[in-house]
């Protein structure tokens, strides 16, 4: 009989919980039993592990009763990440490797039938959890590709191997001579990646001609981390502006880069070339609520989490399913999304810049200077009514993107480059950080009263605007936050009536009927 224990991790959302892979070999009828709330993919590990061991020239205990327990038993486990721990547990229990030498290590990796190690999802969250949970984190062994992700976490000791035999060679019993050094082993320690983040690579705002109001609104949105809704006829440049918005944002901080990469890694969408690049996600308007905010079993991140620390662009906003749009309300306020299921709960970060675009009416030409609208007032009201008041309240800037005549577009000079605008946005954002420690978009409660106080004239102006436009308290507070950002861009310590007046103009696009 033999018993061994190998450490690994199971992912539930972005949380990576410790798992102990216990393997017991006993006499009796030959069998291979796997227990511990394992999903179908984990149970299939029995055949992958058997073939990988045999095709690698290692002995598989065919004539013994094999029991593999993934503890704790009540923690859901999915994917093929436990193939490598199970294989090493069987080898240790059968005496082919030294089980004591496995202490101080954690393993994860999917095995091919030939013994090759394949990448896994969520290597970066796994490595981050390891660094947070223990005073002396164990070393982590992962397949190539996954190991490079995990090494992005500061302080992580990450090793990589391409084949099961390369791993086995590191944990042989003392009585077995080690393989020769020139055997071509792929086992190596992965060097920590540099933590400096590159400047964003985006299309330049200088490509956009005209649209001074929309450009100004996006500058305010970038400086204060605000959301924006662009409203205008087709072909006015709404999508062009939105796809250049990420170029106005400053480089990611190290924490933002790690969080964004962790979400992408969990979804299996991370590549090293994306490190430090603010993501821009643009789901189609047929996307479901689950695709947008996340879900499934086990819970997976949706588009709003994949856009964390970046931009979520929703074109044709009224065409999205109502349930999907209403699901945006919570993350727009809180910056995270919690997905609850009967057996588990997962939380994902969702601090994104929402840039949405829509036509003013079903035909799209309400207010156009070059083409007449053919929609009735009732059709316009029904179309705009697809967006609920609570959702519109949570969008800071409502911007009219007017249609220019062809001769105006040809005669318009090139606009400012993104780098110039980005420098102004960064300066305004630094003023906010120095004053209150976070972006203006997050001002609320006492912090809003303290750092965005209005003088008497500005208060009277805002009160008159609120009474005339029928704003809610939430919409009023958002206008004050936008005014605080406008003041920061102007280098003003106080919010004046001029700043309030500009902020009010950015919430009237739909109410004014364009």
């Amino acid at each position: 009989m033999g018993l061994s224990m190998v450490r690994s991790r199971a992912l539930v959302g972005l949380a990576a919980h410790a798992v102990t892979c216990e393997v017991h070999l006993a006499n009796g009828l030959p069998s291979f039993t796997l227990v511990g709330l394992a999903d179908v993919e984990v149970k299939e590990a029995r055949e992958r592990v058997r073939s990988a061991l045999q095709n690698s020239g290692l002995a598989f205990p065919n004539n013994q009763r094999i029991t593999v327990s993934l503890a704790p038993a009540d923690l859901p486990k999915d994917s093929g990440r436990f193939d490598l721990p199970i294989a090493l547990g069987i080898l240790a229990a059968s005496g082919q490797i030294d089980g004591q030498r496995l202490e101080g290590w954690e393993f994860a990796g999917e095995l091919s039938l030939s013994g090759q190690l394949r990448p896994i999802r969520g290597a970066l969250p796994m490595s981050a959890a390891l660094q947070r949970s223990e005073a002396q984190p164990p070393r982590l062994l992962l397949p190539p590709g996954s190991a490079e992700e995990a090494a992005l976490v500061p302080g992580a000791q990450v090793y990589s191997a391409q084949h099961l035999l390369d791993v086995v060679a590191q944990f042989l019993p003392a009585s077995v001579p080690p393989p020769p050094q020139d055997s071509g082993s792929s086992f190596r320690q992965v060097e920590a990646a540099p933590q400096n983040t590159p400047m964003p690579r985006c299309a330049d705002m200088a490509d956009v001609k005209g649209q001074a109001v929309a450009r100004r609104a996006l500058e305010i949105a970038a400086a204060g981390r605000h959301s924006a809704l662009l409203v205008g006829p087709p072909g006015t440049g709404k999508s062009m502006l939105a796809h250049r918005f990420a170029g106005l944002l400053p480089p990611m901080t190290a924490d933002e880069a790690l969080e964004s990469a962790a979400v992408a890694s969990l979804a299996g969408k991370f590549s090293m070339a994306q490190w430090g690049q603010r993501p821009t996600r643009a789901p189609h308007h047929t996307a479901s609520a689950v695709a947008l905010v996340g879900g499934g079993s086990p819970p997976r991140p949706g588009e709003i989490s994949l856009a964390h620390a970046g931009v979520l662009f929703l074109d044709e906003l009224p065409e999205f399913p109502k349930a999907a749009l209403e699901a945006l309300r919570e993350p727009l306020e809180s910056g995270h999304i919690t997905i609850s299921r009967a057996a588990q709960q997962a939380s994902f970060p969702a601090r994104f810049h929402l840039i949405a675009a829509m036509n003013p009416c079903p035909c799209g030409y309400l207010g156009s200077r070059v083409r007449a609208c053919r929609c009735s007032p009732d059709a316009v009201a029904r179309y705009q009514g697809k967006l609920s008041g609570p959702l519109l309240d949570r969008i800071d800037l409502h911007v009219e993107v007017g249609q220019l005549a062809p001769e105006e577009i040809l005669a318009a000079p090139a606009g400012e480059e993104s780098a110039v605008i980005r420098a102004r946005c960064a300066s305004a954002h630094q003023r906010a950080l120095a004053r209150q420690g976070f972006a203006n978009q997050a001002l609320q409660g006492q912090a809003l009263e303290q750092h965005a106080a209005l003088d008497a004239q500005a208060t009277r102006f805002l009160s008159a605007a609120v009474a005339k436009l029928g704003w809610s308290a939430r919409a009023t507070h958002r206008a004050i936050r936008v005014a605080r950002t406008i003041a920061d861009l102007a280098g003003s310590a106080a919010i004046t009536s001029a700043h309030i007046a500009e902020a009010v103009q950015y919430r009237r696009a739909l109410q004014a009927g364009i």
Side-chain angles (χ1 to χ4, degrees), residues 16-106:
H17 300 282
V19 170
T20 301
C21 178
E22 302 171 324
V23 179
H24 180 228
L25 302 184
N27 295 325
L29 291 176
S31 64
F32 191 162
T33 306
L34 199 154
V35 298
L37 203 59
D39 205 348
V40 175
E41 301 137 325
V42 182
K43 291 180 179 179
E44 291 173 346
R46 293 175 295 191
E47 303 308 318
R48 289 194 296 270
V49 168
R50 185 196 307 270
S51 298
L53 291 177
Q54 292 175 341
N55 290 326
S56 299
L58 300 167
F60 184 84
N62 285 302
N63 297 323
Q64 290 184 287
R65 183 180 182 85
I66 307 171
T67 303
V68 177
S69 174
L70 302 176
D74 60 345
L75 183 68
K77 305 166 189 76
D78 70 305
S79 79
R81 68 177 55 252
F82 299 105
D83 290 5
L84 179 59
I86 291 171
L88 293 177
I90 292 174
L91 293 172
S94 60
Q96 298 179 69
I97 62 174
D98 187 348
Q100 292 184 346
R101 296 183 64 184
L102 298 177
E103 296 180 5
W105 289 81
E106 286 198 8

Side-chain angles (χ1 to χ4, degrees), residues 14 26-27 79 92 106 172 266 394 449 502 506:
L14 280 180
N27 295 325
S79 79
E106 286 198 8
L172 293 172
L266 184 62
R394 287 169 169 82
E449 295 179 1
E502 185 176 0
Y506 294 130

Side-chain angles (χ1 to χ4, degrees), residues 1 13 18 125 168 175-176 195 209 299 323 342 349 355 366 396 412 440 491:
M1 294 192 299
V168 169
S175 58
V176 178
Q195 293 300 305
K209 292 188 175 183
I355 305 297
L366 179 64
D396 299 321
N440 292 329

Side-chain angles (χ1 to χ4, degrees), residues 85-356:
I86 291 171
L88 293 177
I90 292 174
L91 293 172
S94 60
Q96 298 179 69
I97 62 174
D98 187 348
Q100 292 184 346
R101 296 183 64 184
L102 298 177
E103 296 180 5
W105 289 81
E106 286 198 8
F107 304 86
E110 181 180 332
L111 287 173
S112 71
L113 300 186
S114 64
Q116 294 284 340
L117 269 65
R118 291 174 172 163
I120 58 169
R121 291 185 302 103
L124 203 155
M126 182 179 179
S127 178
L130 213 61
Q131 296 303 112
R132 290 192 303 263
S133 61
E134 302 187 29
Q136 293 183 338
R139 290 165 286 185
L140 183 60
L141 196 151
L142 296 168
S146 299
E148 285 72 18
E149 281 185 31
L152 291 170
V153 178
Q157 296 184 67
V158 183
Y159 292 77
S160 172
Q162 292 183 349
H163 197 278
L164 176 61
L165 288 177
D166 298 329
V167 182
V168 169
Q170 309 303 314
F171 303 100
L172 293 172
S175 58
V176 178
Q181 294 298 316
D182 59 349
S183 61
S185 173
S186 64
F187 185 90
R188 64 184 179 88
Q189 183 172 6
V190 180
E191 297 295 330
Q195 293 300 305
N196 56 315
T197 57
M199 293 298 292
R201 298 189 296 268
C202 302
D204 202 286
M205 194 66 79
D207 300 333
V208 181
K209 292 188 175 183
Q211 303 300 356
V213 174
R215 292 166 60 95
R216 167 67 173 171
L218 292 187
E219 179 179 342
I220 295 169
R225 305 297 188 264
H226 302 292
S227 54
L229 171 61
L230 306 178
V231 186
T236 54
K238 302 187 295 296
S239 298
M240 191 175 186
L241 286 161
H243 285 295
R244 283 155 176 76
F245 179 75
L248 307 184
L249 303 175
M252 279 182 164
T253 64
D255 289 342
E256 285 178 329
L258 281 172
E259 285 183 337
S260 177
V263 174
S265 173
L266 184 62
K269 300 179 182 296
F270 178 74
S271 68
M272 293 299 294
Q274 297 172 339
W275 170 253
Q277 303 296 318
R278 292 192 183 272
T280 296
R281 304 291 299 183
H284 192 260
H285 60 74
T286 57
S288 66
V290 171
L292 203 58
V293 302
S297 183
R300 299 283 179 87
E303 292 289 341
I304 63 172
S305 296
L306 293 171
H308 176 68
V311 182
L312 177 67
F313 175 45
L314 301 183
D315 201 5
E316 305 294 345
L317 186 65
E319 303 300 334
F320 279 81
K322 188 174 181 62
L325 293 180
E326 295 305 307
L328 291 176
R329 288 159 56 175
E330 177 195 343
L332 280 172
E333 286 284 333
S334 64
H336 69 273
I337 182 70
T338 300
I339 300 169
S340 298
R341 296 291 180 264
Q344 56 190 297
Q345 187 179 76
S347 183
F348 300 105
R351 291 190 301 275
F352 55 89
H353 286 79
L354 173 63
I355 305 297

